[in-house]
Amino acid sequence: MSVLLLADHDKGELSPSTARLVAAVSAFGPIDVMVVADNPDAIAANAAALAGVSKVLTVTAQNTSESVTNALLSAAGRYQYVIASAASVGKDVVPRLAAALDIQPVTDIIEIHGPSRFTRPIYAGNALETVVDPQPKHLLTFRASAFRPAASDNAAPVEKLDISIASAARFLAAHRTDSDTPDLATAQIVIGGGVSVGSAEGFRLIEKLGKTLGAAVGATRAAVDAGYAPNDWQIGQTGKIIAPDLYIAIGISGALQHLAGIQGAKTIFAINTDPEAPLVKIADVALIGDLFEILPQLTAELEKLGLNR
Amino acid sequence: MKILVAVKRVVDHNVRIRVRPDGTGVETSGVRMSINPFCKHAVEAAVQLGEKGEASEIVVVSIGPKQSNDVILTALAMGAHRGLLIETDAALETLVIAKLLAKVVEEEQPDLVLLGKQAVDDDSNHVGQMLAALTNRPQATFASGIVVKGAELEVTREVDYGRETIAVPLPAVVTADLRLNTPRNAALPMVMKARSKPLAVRPATEFGIDLASRLTIEKISPPTERLAGKTVASVSEFAAAIAAQVNEMEAL
Ligand SMILES: Cc1cc2nc3c(=O)[nH]c(=O)nc-3n(C[C@H](O)[C@H](O)[C@H](O)COP(=O)(O)OP(=O)(O)OC[C@H]3O[C@@H](n4cnc5c(N)ncnc54)[C@H](O)[C@@H]3O)c2cc1C
Ligand SMILES: Nc1ncnc2c1ncn2[C@@H]1O[C@H](COP(=O)(O)O)[C@@H](O)[C@H]1O
C-alpha cells in the first residue's frame, strides 16, 4: 500500500496542514508528497523533513486546478491512496481527479477507523456519516484540524518530475490579506468576532486580544459580508473549519452554519450581551456583557497576567 | 451564450435536522425542503448574465424525486427559460450525478455550466469539479465574481488565503459561492409565469449511466452534544479562566 499526498503551500512555504495529514495517514503505507508550485524547492525541503515521508516529488507549474490535477494524474497510477487536505486546493482538485479516474472520493474526513473506513460530517456537522470505501484506489481529503502534526526530523529524498502540465485556465492575480496572525485552520487559540463588532476598527480590538494570546483571528460570515473582516477569516460551514484548544467567540450568536466550523474546538468561551444566544448555551465559560466595554479590560488583564505566548 | 444551471433540492438550510435514532439517516419526511442556497446564487448569476445580454438561453436541470420540480420552478421564476427534471427516488452519489449532468451537457452543448459550490445536505463540494473533468472543460470553483471577456471568463475565487482571479476559456464550468450575488425573490407574476415555461421530465434510467453507489454508508450518527458550562460574573474571572486554559495547553 502506498500514498500520494498533495502538499498545501502558501507564499512559497509548506502549510502547517501538511504535517497533520502526513501523521494522520502514515498507517496507510509509505507516503510520497507531491509539491506543485512555481518554485517548489523550498516547499519540498520542508516536506522532506516530515517524519513518515519517503519521497518528495516536485512539479514546476502554476497552481491552477487543472495543472495540479494533471500533475497528480501523471503519478496517481502507482498509488493506492491519493490524499489532500480539505482546504481550497484539495477541494478544487480531488473531485476533478476522482472523476478523471472514475472513482467516488471520500472528502472532509475527520476520523479514520481503518484503511477503508472513515467518518465525515454532513449537514454542517449536525450528523456524522461513517462510510466504507471498497474501491481499489482511494481518493480522500482530510480536515487537517482534526489531526495532530508529524514531527520534523526526516530527510527524505526530493525528486523532480520533468513533465509539462497543460491548463486551459490561467492564473491572473492573487488578492491576499496581509496579516501576521497564525494560520487560522491550525491555530491553538482562535478569537472570533461577529457582526456586532460593528466595524473594521472594532476588529482591531479583537486583533489586539489575539496578539496578547498569540491567537489567530476569525469572523462570522455576517461580519465578513459587512466588510469588517477579510473573507479568509470566515469560520463555518462555508469558511474555515477550526479545531483549536481554545475558541473565544465575541458577539457571535452561534448560527448552525457558524457552529459547523467550531465543533472540533476543545473549549469554547463566549462574550455576548444575550444570555440566550446559542453560542452562550454551548460555551464552557461565558461572560454576559457589552464587548466594547469588556474587550479593553480583558486585554489589559491578560497582559497583566503575562500570557504573552 | 447558452447557460446550463444545475440545482438541487435539499432540506432548507434553516431547519435543525434530526438524525434518525436507528442510524439509517437524517429525518427528511415532513421537513421543509428548498433549493440549495448555493444553487440559488448560480441561478441568479445566470439570470444576471441574461439581463446584461451575455446569455441568450438559460436551462435548469435537477436530479431527484418528482418534488424536485419545485426547485426548478424556483429557478424558472427567477428568470431561467426552461427546465429538465431527471427523475429518480434513489440517493445518488456525486460521481453518478456528475455523469448524468455530463450527458445533459452533451445534449445541450451549453457554453457555461453553473452549479452551486456545495449542496448543504451532504456538504460534498464535488459535482462541479467532476463535471468539468468528465466534459473536459476548465473549471472555476468557489466563484464570488464573474466577468465575461470575449470568449473567456474572468472569475474571482474565494480561496484560503483570500481571493484570486483566474481566466477560463469557454466552454467552462463555474461553481458559485454565496458572495457572488444577492439572489432575487421572484415576484408573484414571475412565479405564475414559471408554471407555463417548458419543463421536461425524464427518468434517470434513460441516460445509460450505472446508478449504483460505490461507497457503503454504514451509519449516520449525531455529533456529541456540547453542554452548557458556567457563566462568570466579571472580566477578571473570565481572564483568569482564559489564563488557566492557556497554561494547560500542550505546546505544539
Ligand atoms: C448557506 C449558508 C452558509 C453560511 N455559512 C456561514 C459560515 O461559514 N460562517 C458563518 O459564520 N456564518 C455562515 N452563514 C451565516 C449564518 O447563518 C449567520 O447569519 C451568521 O453566522 C451570523 O453571524 P453573527 O453571529 O456575527 O451575527 P448575528 O447572528 O446577528 O449575531 C450577533 C450576536 O452579537 C450579540 N451582540 C450584539 N451586540 C453585542 C455587544 N455589544 N456585545 C456583545 N455581544 C453583542 C447578539 O446578542 C448576537 O448574539 C451561512 C448562511 C448560509 C445560508
Ligand atoms: N441532484 C442534483 N441535481 C442537480 N444538481 C445537483 C445535484 N446534486 C448536486 N448538484 C449540483 O452540484 C452542486 C454541488 O453539489 P455537491 O457536490 O453535491 O456538494 C450543487 O450546488 C448543484 O449545483
Side-chain angles (χ1 to χ4, degrees):
Chain A
M1 306 254 266
S2 55
V3 179
L4 179 64
L5 191 154
L6 179 68
D8 260 326
H9 57 84
D10 189 30
K11 291 195 262 188
E13 281 176 44
L14 188 72
S15 302
S17 60
T18 302
R20 292 172 182 247
L21 258 74
V22 165
V25 304
S26 56
F28 295 167
I31 300 169
D32 290 357
V33 174
M34 180 178 272
V35 179
V36 185
D38 290 322
N39 294 300
D41 295 352
I43 305 162
N46 293 148
L50 296 175
V53 172
S54 1
K55 195 163 54 176
V56 179
L57 307 170
T58 66
V59 177
T60 306
Q62 263 190 350
N63 222 334
T64 70
S65 58
E66 284 163 275
S67 50
V68 179
T69 307
N70 291 342
L72 287 168
L73 205 50
S74 74
R78 303 194 290 278
Y79 300 89
Q80 274 78 52
Y81 292 87
V82 182
I83 284 167
S85 69
S88 52
V89 173
K91 285 180 180 171
D92 191 30
V93 160
V94 169
R96 185 176 179 108
L97 178 69
L101 294 169
D102 195 29
I103 290 168
Q104 174 67 36
V106 183
T107 52
D108 275 309
I109 295 166
I110 54 168
E111 211 179 322
I112 303 169
H113 305 287
S116 59
R117 195 159 158 262
F118 316 103
T119 294
R120 62 181 300 270
I122 56 175
Y123 286 92
N126 289 302
L128 301 173
E129 178 181 75
T130 301
V131 295
V132 175
D133 175 8
Q135 299 168 110
K137 198 190 281 290
H138 307 283
L139 261 69
L140 314 173
T141 71
F142 291 83
R143 285 195 180 167
S145 58
F147 302 93
R148 288 292 187 192
S152 265
D153 55 3
N154 192 8
V158 177
E159 193 180 300
K160 191 174 155 59
L161 294 186
D162 245 327
I163 45 176
S164 69
I165 296 294
S167 171
R170 295 183 333 275
F171 182 82
L172 295 180
H175 321 282
R176 54 171 76 245
T177 331
D178 270 316
S179 91
D180 51 359
T181 55
D183 176 50
L184 186 56
T186 54
Q188 234 177 337
I189 309 177
V190 175
I191 322 277
V195 71
S196 54
V197 172
S199 62
E201 292 74 58
F203 261 88
R204 304 256 158 75
L205 296 174
I206 307 266
E207 285 175 77
K208 184 136 188 278
L209 175 61
K211 270 232 160 68
T212 306
L213 290 170
V217 177
T220 63
R221 179 175 138 80
V224 173
D225 285 349
Y228 306 158
N231 71 317
D232 52 313
W233 285 8
Q234 184 176 314
I235 296 169
Q237 183 185 22
T238 50
K240 298 227 164 84
I241 307 291
I242 61 169
D245 289 337
L246 172 61
Y247 180 52
I248 308 178
I250 299 172
I252 295 178
S253 62
L256 56 94
Q257 294 89 359
H258 185 76
L259 299 183
I262 62 170
Q263 267 155 350
K266 257 205 213 126
T267 48
I268 296 177
F269 281 38
I271 299 173
N272 202 306
T273 44
D274 178 9
E276 299 301 318
L279 212 131
V280 172
K281 296 269 194 209
I282 59 154
D284 298 283
V285 182
L287 179 59
I288 305 305
D290 183 347
L291 69 93
F292 297 102
E293 281 169 30
I294 292 169
L295 273 184
Q297 282 184 52
L298 179 62
T299 307
E301 293 250 5
L302 287 168
E303 265 162 14
K304 245 192 295 168
L305 289 170
L307 282 175
N308 270 314
R309 283 158 37 96
Chain B
M1 79 172 100
K2 179 171 172 180
I3 303 179
L4 177 70
V5 191
V7 298
K8 187 177 186 187
R9 176 177 178 265
V10 298
V11 172
D12 186 89
H13 68 268
N14 286 317
V15 170
R16 186 145 205 93
I17 58 114
R18 210 172 53 82
V19 175
R20 285 193 208 112
D22 63 0
T24 56
V26 166
E27 195 52 72
T28 51
S29 65
V31 170
R32 188 153 59 106
M33 307 291 284
S34 312
I35 185 169
N36 177 43
F38 293 90
C39 299
K40 210 168 173 186
H41 291 263
V43 174
E44 178 64 32
V47 173
Q48 286 187 11
L49 287 169
E51 286 167 346
K52 281 190 202 131
E54 304 281 7
S56 46
E57 189 182 16
I58 302 164
V59 182
V60 258
V61 55
S62 188
I63 303 166
K66 205 186 261 96
Q67 297 89 321
S68 304
N69 261 340
D70 294 350
V71 300
I72 296 177
L73 284 172
T74 305
L76 294 175
M78 288 171 72
H81 299 112
R82 69 186 160 87
L84 167 64
L85 169 64
I86 301 182
E87 196 180 334
T88 173
D89 285 328
L92 303 181
E93 282 179 348
T94 50
L95 185 59
V96 175
I97 299 283
K99 286 178 179 176
L100 288 168
L101 292 177
K103 287 284 182 189
V104 178
V105 169
E106 200 180 297
E107 288 178 13
E108 296 281 349
Q109 295 292 321
D111 303 284
L112 172 61
V113 188
L114 276 163
L115 304 93
K117 86 160 179 183
Q118 94 194 48
V120 298
D121 46 6
D122 292 333
D123 282 331
S124 297
N125 196 335
H126 295 166
V127 173
Q129 298 87 313
M130 289 175 159
L131 179 64
L134 296 174
T135 56
N136 206 11
R137 292 173 174 215
Q139 72 194 44
T141 51
F142 327 148
S144 61
I146 302 173
V147 180
V148 182
K149 290 260 167 89
E152 270 190 356
L153 300 179
E154 271 184 27
V155 180
T156 301
R157 306 180 55 231
E158 303 236 337
V159 293
D160 286 342
Y161 66 74
R163 295 189 168 94
E164 68 181 30
T165 309
I166 63 172
V168 285
L170 294 168
V173 175
V174 175
T175 74
D177 214 323
L178 299 177
R179 273 183 278 271
L180 180 58
N181 50 43
T182 309
R184 69 197 64 199
N185 279 318
L188 194 60
M190 288 298 278
V191 175
M192 300 308 287
K193 200 174 150 201
R195 301 203 169 268
S196 59
K197 291 184 179 178
L199 201 173
V201 181
R202 291 161 65 184
T205 45
E206 189 181 277
F207 290 80
I209 301 287
D210 179 3
L211 303 178
S213 291
R214 305 275 181 86
L215 309 176
T216 313
I217 298 176
E218 210 173 75
K219 63 166 190 232
I220 308 283
S221 41
T224 43
E225 220 174 304
R226 273 185 190 272
L227 300 174
K230 59 173 180 193
T231 299
V232 295
S234 70
V235 177
S236 352
E237 274 178 81
F238 197 70
I242 291 177
Q245 279 296 326
V246 171
N247 292 333
E248 241 177 54
M249 266 174 217
E250 153 198 8
L252 278 189

